[in-house]
Amino acid sequence: MPRFVGDGLGRVLGIYNLVGYSASSLGALASSIPAYLGNELVLVRSMYLVYAVAGLIMFMTYTVLGGIEAGRRAFGLRGLGRAVADIRNLSVLFSLDAFGGGLVSQSLLSYWFYIRYGVSLRELGVAFMAVNVVTAISLVIAPLIAERIGNLRTMVYTHIVSNVFLILVPLAGSFQGSLAFLLLRQSVSQMDVPTRQAFMAEIFSDDARVSANAVTNTARSVSSLPGPLIVGDLVANGFYSLPFIISGSLKTAYDLAIYLMYRGRAR
């Protein structure tokens, strides 16, 4: 039996991510408040200020907890032996996944729904709240599935299904159909989050785990940066649906690659 099952790590990570996505769903609903109060432009600008203040509070909290210094130490890779190769391989794979994910951000989805179906800010706030609620629920279910079929299989199987739904979003032909596919996508797309975290705990020893997470998460963050630039160019040229198709295809390639590389070391 995998170690994470006995330790309950998968379930703990599921709850941890549930809290985060629950807060995100409230934020999505809050984004529609300007549509109810009027003077949308001023209120939307004010929300950016609130976002900046929240980021500052997080930074201060992280500093007090000693996260900055821990982060600096995390990038030391000497003495990790075989783990260095895994860190390199997973950084490349996670970068591919993050690059694909960066092509379909919530900003693009909002703009696409507005351009394609004329959906208002008020409707989008409610829709994205529902999307995030569905996502939050899936994060609790994911560890339960992983306890039966393993972290790696849960990561890959659910992610491939979500990528199919993502590609179908722009092909639905109606707002209701596209929203349905988006909800279906979100019902499984983030199941790889707690299972990926547990997979990392399964692959790496205690000594290498912090460094592995630090390096691979940094690779993910950097790789998602070009997405908006590419999408902006595609949208400017009228290719509104192409980002969905490219993203789903790249993320599927990631799923197949990580499964083939690690199926012998993790379930």
Side-chain angles (χ1 to χ4, degrees), residues 33-86:
I33 291 177
Y36 292 91
L37 299 180
N39 201 356
E40 293 185 23
L41 183 58
V42 173
L43 290 172
V44 168
R45 287 176 175 173
S46 299
M47 293 179 75
Y48 280 98
L49 178 60
V50 173
Y51 181 79
V53 172
L56 179 61
I57 293 173
M58 290 175 61
F59 175 79
M60 294 173 63
T61 303
Y62 191 61
T63 302
V64 171
L65 293 174
I68 301 277
E69 184 60 31
R72 289 173 182 164
R73 294 196 303 268
F75 284 90
L77 300 180
R78 292 182 180 178
L80 297 184
R82 179 183 178 184
V84 175
D86 284 323

Side-chain angles (χ1 to χ4, degrees), residues 61-133:
T61 303
Y62 191 61
T63 302
V64 171
L65 293 174
I68 301 277
E69 184 60 31
R72 289 173 182 164
R73 294 196 303 268
F75 284 90
L77 300 180
R78 292 182 180 178
L80 297 184
R82 179 183 178 184
V84 175
D86 284 323
I87 292 173
R88 181 189 63 243
N89 294 337
L90 288 172
S91 293
V92 173
L93 292 172
F94 290 167
S95 294
L96 176 62
D97 178 45
F99 176 75
L103 296 175
V104 182
S105 64
Q106 189 159 301
S107 299
L108 170 66
L109 287 168
S110 301
Y111 183 72
W112 186 85
F113 274 113
Y114 173 75
I115 292 295
R116 183 70 175 82
Y117 302 118
V119 183
S120 68
L121 177 61
R122 182 181 303 183
E123 294 171 313
L124 283 173
V126 175
F128 283 115
M129 183 198 70
V131 165
N132 284 307
V133 167

Side-chain angles (χ1 to χ4, degrees), residues 21 66 82 128 156 160 186 199 201-202 204 216 242 245 252 255 257 259 267:
Y21 274 89
R82 179 183 178 184
F128 283 115
V156 172
I160 289 177
Q186 291 304 124
F199 167 78
E202 191 177 358
F204 293 101
T216 55
L242 198 55
I245 298 171
T252 299
D255 291 322
Y259 181 74
R267 283 201 307 131

